Amino acid sequence: MAMDPVTKARLISCGRIELPEVFRPEGPVSTAGPGAGERNVFFRGGQSRVRLSVAEGSPLKLAELEGDEVAILLEDAEVARGVLERPLLHCPRQAYITVSERCIYDCKFCAVPKLSGGVKPKERVVEMVAQALDTGELEAISLTSGVERTPEEEVARVAEIVKALRKFDLPIGVSVTPAERSSRILQEAGADEIKYNVECLDPVLFERVCPGVSLEKIKAALADAAGRFGKNRVFSNVIVGLGESEIALREGIEELAEMGVLPVIRAVYPHPLRVGEVEMVRPSPERLLDLARHLRRALDVHRLRGDVAETGCYRCTGCDLIPHRDL
Ligand code: SF4
């Protein structure tokens, strides 16, 4: 049964699901981004996919049906029917790998600085991709990274890894903190797509939630990346639910699209390690739908497409309503 955009918006807005014992995933927890450290399930209804964090006490419950089929229930009423998908590395069909699981910055919604995890050497990343390839399901490689020491050093580290991964002949996307000449360095290393996250498009709030980071510098890096990588190859996460100004958010989405950048409108994830540090309220289904339609209009005006990405979140679609894929 196809999952329509209204249903997907309801599921994303809730963001969590309770699983019966038989479905409890035992694989590794995610190490990427604001939701790092959480267990996830991926549900597919028709052509649409949604990722939900596993949590006891969620109003959404998963129920087993015949064969592989499952249903998502809200207060005992079925809201969606489909199948569960196996994540490969972090998400289905991709090796989505966090290189440095630590960060010198302290963005108030992100768990990575609090988790202070390890830094994977190049050989380990290559080995992980080779193992993912052996499953026969691997279609793309996405690399993300916190900043262990400096953005420059991190870009150089990831560029070396990209060079080593070219041998797999798969599309490679990279999401890092931009640095001097980072787009050129990563493009020459062999990256196909790039993501620099603006995180918050409200400049006043940005200073509070991303201390020590410059919104203007990220935008300048995105403009440079769009010039180098071309149409439909540059992305930027925009977190929604931090108490941002609606006008600044909507104008910021238009500004990014005008630059040739595809914004990823991401519902804030109130990570337990960050509770109380900043306002974090999951957006309502209505707001998610409204913003996704606004985004789609902005992409259409600038002749950008949400359905041609080869890597990352526009390819996965698990966390967001993706223009030209979901609506
Ligand atoms: S949409 Fe992006 S962050 Fe969400 S599960 Fe997929 S790859 Fe991960």
Side-chain angles (χ1 to χ4, degrees):
M1 189 169 81
M3 180 165 46
D4 59 80
V6 175
T7 303
K8 184 167 174 180
R10 286 171 79 191
L11 298 178
I12 294 174
S13 177
C14 180
R16 296 171 159 236
I17 190 162
E18 186 174 299
L19 303 193
E21 198 67 50
V22 55
F23 287 115
R24 302 258 151 98
E26 285 169 13
V29 295
S30 168
T31 54
E38 301 288 294
R39 289 189 191 281
N40 299 307
V41 290
F42 290 85
F43 170 89
R44 175 175 284 280
Q47 292 304 305
S48 249
R49 172 185 291 154
V50 69
R51 179 198 62 80
L52 296 163
S53 306
V54 177
E56 296 279 324
S58 167
L60 296 177
K61 319 260 184 240
L62 194 78
E64 208 177 355
L65 300 175
E66 296 269 301
D68 287 344
E69 249 194 340
V70 294
I72 297 181
L73 310 179
L74 176 63
E75 285 155 14
D76 292 333
E78 183 176 314
V79 289
R81 187 179 281 228
V83 292
L84 292 184
E85 288 183 290
R86 185 172 79 120
L88 206 46
L89 285 172
H90 169 77
C91 66
R93 307 207 160 265
Q94 293 192 49
Y96 195 118
I97 298 171
T98 305
V99 178
S100 296
E101 296 170 20
R102 48 179 52 221
C103 197
I104 55 168
Y105 298 111
D106 187 30
C107 294
K108 300 301 177 192
F109 45 79
C110 185
V112 171
K114 296 282 184 191
L115 292 167
S116 277
V119 177
K120 293 183 188 79
K122 179 172 70 182
E123 297 70 27
R124 175 70 189 128
V125 177
V126 172
E127 183 186 50
M128 289 170 80
V129 173
Q131 283 171 358
L133 194 63
D134 283 345
T135 64
E137 294 174 19
L138 184 62
E139 294 173 354
I141 302 168
S142 296
L143 300 177
T144 183
S145 199
V147 177
E148 190 202 12
R149 278 196 283 261
T150 65
E152 287 72 21
E153 210 179 289
E154 206 62 46
V155 166
R157 185 204 314 275
V158 173
E160 285 307 308
I161 295 175
V162 170
K163 283 182 201 163
L165 294 174
R166 286 288 10 148
K167 68 174 180 181
F168 292 108
D169 199 21
L170 288 166
I172 302 177
V174 172
S175 173
V176 287
T177 298
E180 192 71 23
R181 297 171 55 248
S182 53
S183 292
R184 181 171 171 179
I185 293 167
L186 291 165
Q187 189 179 42
E188 286 175 359
D192 299 292
E193 296 180 342
I194 197 108
K195 178 153 83 165
Y196 300 138
N197 295 334
V198 289
E199 311 287 16
C200 173
L201 281 168
D202 176 336
V204 178
L205 185 63
F206 183 94
E207 305 238 319
R208 194 143 51 82
V209 297
C210 295
V213 185
S214 162
L215 178 57
E216 287 313 309
K217 276 194 185 159
I218 299 171
K219 285 186 186 170
L222 283 166
D224 177 55
R228 281 182 184 283
F229 284 82
K231 256 188 158 43
N232 304 315
R233 297 286 166 234
V234 182
F235 308 87
S236 187
N237 277 12
V238 177
I239 296 181
V240 181
L242 296 166
E244 60 283 329
S245 138
E246 196 68 22
I247 292 176
L249 172 60
R250 294 171 81 94
E251 288 181 355
I253 289 169
E254 288 167 15
E255 184 188 352
L256 290 177
E258 191 177 351
M259 286 160 55
V261 174
L262 287 92
V264 178
I265 308 298
R266 175 64 44 85
V268 69
Y269 179 71
H271 199 287
L273 292 173
R274 287 296 193 179
V275 166
E277 292 195 40
V278 64
E279 178 182 321
M280 292 187 286
V281 179
R282 294 289 286 184
S284 67
E286 295 74 24
R287 187 171 183 219
L288 286 170
L289 270 172
D290 184 46
L291 286 171
R293 288 180 181 133
H294 177 68
L295 171 61
R296 174 159 176 168
R297 277 192 297 274
L299 297 190
D300 286 342
V301 165
H302 297 288
R303 299 181 188 280
L304 296 169
R305 295 291 307 182
D307 55 356
V308 298
E310 294 187 289
T311 70
C313 300
Y314 264 76
R315 170 93 184 228
C316 168
T317 74
C319 296
D320 319 292
L321 286 162
I322 297 291
H324 310 120
R325 295 283 296 273
D326 290 311
L327 77 174

